[in-house]
């Protein structure tokens, strides 16, 4: 680094683990100390502003495109940076946690991009976080392999056949309790970003790519500006040219949907586009506006991407990105291929329809959760793109979306079904059980689910109780029944902890913003007990 070190300013509170010293080097911890010192207080201020904004919207304040930034939206002259090496063609992107087997499978999958996910698909145990960093570094150095319990061996393909790595750090709202700076935890986003950037930025440049990121859960342009300033300082500290970092922002909050252009503008020298993070978008919509009767959503299965308010959101995203020369990346296909031919055919038909809609709407690529879906997604986008790497030149000038369009939930508003209520209880409980055990990506009922699924499930239960379209006794009865089924299905599950987590995050009078901080505290308690 080009500035003086902050030796011992970041303290490791966790017990040493296998090869952890390769990641938690004194220089890497000093680098995190620089980032925490520069941005920790500002991040806290932004989290306070989130809470104030939530209260304003809950009290009835209107949500609209910011008047103060109208000049940014009206200015036709600015564009984001040109696509970086390895990010020009993004027609298929696969997502998953950076565990050892997933790292190899994702890189070998045939997708153009792998989003290595430290956020929703990773339960942030200390071993998962540091192990993920080791796996990414080992993969770039081509010294990673894996042998399963049944003897199956996993190894990397030739370098020119591997997906480009794009890392998703945890969101601004989360802390890393195993690292301490100035008497408090280090922001988890800075930990995930900082450790990967410190160890792998040069490695990626030497390999012909660069340090690339997905940024989750942003709510406004100020949070994007904070990330841009983090990028500028990080590049300066390591002597890497400004603009080397590239970041794609997930538009997965309702407030960010009203500031897409502003978010691109803040990150323009580091931007590589926007992604339609649709499951978290539904979660954000409910927790932000769901106390109002006009935003009562029916069963999640009935809220498809053809719903008018979701069509407005995705079409605005494509238009915004292409207007500014940025990639627009579509949403997740979470289906897991089935051994049942009929079930598999039905699942693949749904995926095909979804990807055809995205490609025809102008998206430049899309997400899948399983390697088995890569060929189908590629086939669909090949049919629209042909030999072109993207369709950014398709500016979608025909799209005109106003605030009312983004908020037109009433057109599909309605009460839940009995099956929908039970499904949300069942999915939330099973995901909580797996998450508490350290697993963040979980196959449930034919879908690869992550934290966004559990968030939607529990906030829908909360919303339905609030609007009295379901009674508490019914939910408690289903809770007992599904906990019994969970215990039979997962004998290892901590049923008391799962029940408590569900009750605190779905049945409380005031809705917690996220379930993950509550659940994470249980990992910290377990680690403390282990150390003692």
């Amino acid at each position: 680094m080009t500035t003086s070190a902050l030796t011992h300013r970041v303290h490791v509170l966790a017990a040493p683990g296998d090869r952890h010293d390769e990641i938690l080097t004194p220089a890497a911890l000093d680098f995190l100390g620089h980032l925490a010192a520069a941005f920790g207080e500002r991040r806290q201020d932004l989290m306070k502003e989130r809470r104030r904004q939530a209260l304003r919207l809950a009290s009835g304040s209107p949500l609209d495109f910011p008047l103060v930034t109208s000049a940014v939206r009206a200015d036709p002259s600015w564009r984001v940076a040109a696509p970086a090496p390895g990010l020009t063609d993004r027609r298929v992107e696969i997502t998953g946690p950076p565990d050892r087997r997933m790292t190899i499978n994702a890189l070998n999958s045939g997708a153009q991009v792998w989003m290595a996910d430290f956020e929703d698909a990773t339960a942030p145990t200390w071993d998962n976080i540091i192990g993920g960093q080791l796996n990414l570094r080992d993969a770039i150095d081509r010294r990673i392999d894996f042998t399963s319990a049944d003897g199956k061996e996993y190894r990397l393909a030739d370098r020119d056949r591997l997906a480009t790595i794009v890392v998703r750090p945890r969101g601004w709202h989360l802390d890393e309790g195993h690292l301490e700076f100035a008497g408090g935890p280090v922001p988890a986003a800075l930990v995930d970003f900082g450790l990967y950037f410190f160890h792998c930025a040069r490695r990626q440049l030497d390999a012909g790519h660069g340090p690339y990121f997905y940024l989750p859960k942003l709510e406004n342009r100020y949070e994007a500006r904070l990330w841009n300033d983090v990028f500028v300082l990080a590049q300066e500290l390591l002597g890497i040219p400004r603009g080397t970092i590239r970041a794609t922002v997930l538009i997965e909050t309702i407030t960010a949907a009203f500031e897409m252009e502003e978010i691109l503008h803040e990150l323009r020298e580091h931007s590589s586009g926007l992604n339609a993070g649709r499951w978290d978008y539904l979660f954000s919509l409910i927790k932000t506006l769901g106390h109002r009767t006009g935003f009562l959503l029916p069963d999640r299965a009935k809220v498809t991407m053809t719903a008018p308010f979701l069509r407005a959101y995705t079409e605005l995203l494509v238009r915004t990105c292409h207007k500014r020369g940025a990639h627009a990346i579509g949403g997740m296909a979470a289906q897991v291929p089935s051994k049942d031919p009929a079930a598999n055919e039905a699942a693949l038909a749904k995926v095909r329809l979804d990807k055809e809609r995205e490609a025809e709407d102008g998206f430049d690529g899309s997400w899948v959760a399983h390697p088995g879906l890569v060929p189908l997604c590629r086939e669909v986008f090949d049919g629209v793109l042909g030999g072109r790497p993207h369709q950014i030149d398709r500016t979608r000038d025909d799209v005109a979306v106003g605030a009312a369009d983004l908020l037109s939930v009433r057109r599909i508003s309605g009460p839940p079904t009995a099956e929908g209520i039970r499904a949300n209880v069942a999915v939330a409980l099973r995901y909580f059980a797996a998450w508490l055990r350290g697993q963040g990506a979980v196959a449930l009922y034919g879908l690869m689910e992550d934290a966004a699924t559990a968030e939607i499930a529990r906030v829908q239960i909360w919303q339905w109780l609030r609007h009295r379209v379901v009674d508490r006794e019914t939910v408690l009865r289903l809770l007992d029944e599904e906990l019994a089924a969970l215990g039979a299905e997962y004998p290892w599950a901590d049923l008391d902890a799962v029940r408590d987590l569900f009750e605190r995050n779905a049945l409380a009078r005031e809705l917690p913003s996220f379930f993950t901080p509550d659940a994470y505290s249980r990992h910290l308690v377990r680690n403390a007990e282990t150390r003692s």
Side-chain angles (χ1 to χ4, degrees):
M1 291 187 298
T2 58
T3 59
S4 60
L6 299 173
T7 306
H8 306 308
R9 292 288 293 277
V10 170
H11 301 279
V12 180
L13 304 182
D18 183 37
R19 297 181 62 201
H20 283 198
D21 59 322
E22 296 178 32
I23 297 298
L24 300 169
T25 63
L29 294 175
D30 287 347
F31 181 71
L32 292 184
H34 278 286
L35 298 182
F39 303 111
E41 184 176 351
R42 186 166 147 201
R43 172 256 188 176
Q44 291 283 14
D45 290 341
L46 287 174
M47 294 304 97
K48 291 176 183 176
E49 179 54 33
R50 271 193 189 183
R51 292 189 286 272
R52 287 191 290 267
Q53 172 74 332
L55 290 173
R56 286 193 290 267
L57 292 172
S59 66
S61 294
L63 187 57
D64 207 338
F65 298 95
L67 181 61
V68 70
T69 55
S70 57
V72 171
R73 297 192 298 274
D75 181 358
S77 65
W78 65 270
R79 293 170 68 86
V80 304
L87 292 180
T88 300
D89 187 333
R90 303 173 62 180
R91 68 188 67 199
V92 187
E93 300 194 349
I94 191 168
T95 75
D99 62 62
R100 208 157 186 85
R101 180 163 63 177
M102 182 66 194
T103 297
I104 299 170
N105 281 345
L107 290 173
N108 289 346
S109 67
Q112 278 73 25
V113 169
W114 171 41
M115 189 195 74
D117 191 9
F118 284 93
E119 201 223 7
D120 277 359
T122 293
T125 65
W126 188 233
D127 282 343
N128 283 349
I129 294 301
I130 303 304
Q133 295 284 349
L134 281 163
N135 291 335
L136 292 174
R137 196 185 68 171
D138 286 351
I140 297 167
D141 289 346
R142 297 191 61 83
R143 58 174 190 170
I144 189 171
D145 55 41
F146 178 80
T147 303
S148 64
D150 61 4
K152 185 176 181 180
E153 295 184 350
Y154 298 80
R155 301 185 187 281
L156 289 180
D158 294 339
R159 188 179 296 277
D160 61 358
R161 294 169 52 199
L162 301 182
T164 299
I165 296 173
V166 180
V167 171
R168 176 159 73 168
R170 284 168 285 176
W172 281 129
H173 61 290
L174 294 170
D175 289 318
E176 177 46 73
H178 299 97
L179 294 176
E180 182 183 70
F181 173 79
V186 179
L190 296 182
V191 173
D192 300 340
F193 162 79
L195 291 177
Y196 176 73
F197 185 79
F198 182 85
H199 289 289
C200 297
R202 288 282 181 195
R203 284 178 161 89
Q204 287 286 42
L205 289 170
D206 291 343
H209 286 167
Y212 305 144
F213 299 91
Y214 258 108
L215 305 181
K217 306 290 191 291
L218 299 191
E219 296 199 2
N220 54 57
R221 61 193 180 277
Y222 301 110
E223 296 178 17
R225 183 180 301 169
L226 175 57
W227 268 120
N228 197 72
D229 290 346
V230 170
F231 296 161
V232 171
L233 179 60
Q235 290 165 136
E236 177 186 332
L237 290 173
L238 295 191
I240 289 175
R242 180 164 169 160
T244 299
I245 293 174
R246 294 301 165 81
T248 305
V249 173
L250 292 116
I251 300 298
E252 54 187 354
T253 66
I254 184 64
T255 52
F258 286 84
E259 299 191 29
M260 293 187 200
E261 285 199 73
E262 292 86 343
I263 287 169
L264 285 178
H265 186 261
E266 293 292 346
L267 285 159
R268 58 193 180 280
E269 66 178 332
H270 298 111
S271 177
S272 54
L274 303 177
N275 171 281
R278 58 201 191 190
W279 301 131
D280 267 304
Y281 189 75
L282 290 177
F283 158 53
S284 170
L285 179 79
I286 297 170
K287 81 172 178 181
T288 305
L289 302 171
H291 58 286
R292 304 182 189 180
T293 56
F295 292 89
L296 179 64
L297 285 175
D299 299 354
R300 177 170 70 119
K302 294 183 177 181
V303 187
T304 68
M305 294 307 295
T306 60
F309 76 99
L310 290 176
R311 289 288 292 157
Y313 151 67
T314 55
E315 292 202 313
L316 178 62
L317 190 148
V318 172
R319 183 184 188 280
T320 300
C321 286
H322 290 182
K323 177 182 177 182
R324 303 304 180 180
H327 281 83
I329 306 299
M332 172 71 79
Q335 285 79 0
V336 176
S338 172
K339 294 180 180 179
D340 178 341
N344 198 55
E345 183 179 353
L348 292 180
K350 288 183 179 179
V351 174
R352 181 178 292 278
L353 284 174
D354 183 53
K355 299 311 169 192
E356 286 175 346
R357 175 190 51 78
E358 289 182 326
E360 290 164 4
D361 281 351
F363 280 96
D364 303 293
S366 191
W367 276 11
V368 299
H370 191 280
L373 299 181
V374 170
L376 173 56
C377 187
R378 178 190 292 275
E379 177 190 336
V380 171
F381 274 87
D382 283 351
V384 171
L385 296 178
R388 297 175 298 158
H390 51 69
Q391 50 184 332
I392 291 175
D393 59 333
R394 190 177 168 206
T395 55
R396 291 305 310 272
D397 295 332
D398 57 305
V399 171
V401 172
D405 301 306
L406 292 173
L407 301 174
S408 61
V409 178
R410 189 182 295 274
R411 296 171 65 181
I412 67 160
S413 182
T417 65
E419 294 80 7
I421 300 167
R422 181 181 289 276
N424 275 351
V425 174
V427 167
L429 294 180
R430 282 159 177 75
Y431 187 82
F432 288 164
W435 200 96
L436 291 172
R437 200 181 188 216
Q439 184 180 1
V442 186
L444 296 172
Y445 310 115
L447 299 175
M448 186 61 70
E449 309 285 21
D450 64 12
T453 303
E455 294 287 27
I456 295 172
R458 61 106 184 175
V459 298
Q460 282 208 300
I461 294 293
W462 175 87
Q463 185 187 44
W464 295 337
L465 287 170
R466 178 182 176 88
H467 292 292
R468 300 180 182 177
V469 294
V470 62
D471 59 83
R472 192 177 182 89
E473 290 71 25
T474 296
V475 175
L476 291 174
R477 174 178 59 80
L478 293 173
L479 177 58
D480 289 338
E481 292 175 3
E482 291 300 326
L483 276 171
L486 173 64
E489 186 178 347
Y490 298 164
W492 45 261
D494 185 341
L495 298 185
D496 289 339
V498 171
R499 173 187 284 274
D500 183 56
L501 192 60
F502 184 88
E503 290 179 343
R504 289 164 60 94
N505 288 278
L507 306 185
R509 180 179 178 84
E510 297 298 326
L511 180 69
S513 295
F514 298 93
F515 85 83
T516 41
D518 184 10
Y520 181 62
S521 66
R522 299 165 194 269
H523 284 310
L524 293 180
V525 169
R526 289 176 183 174
N527 280 0
E529 291 172 347
T530 300
R531 291 198 305 273
S532 62

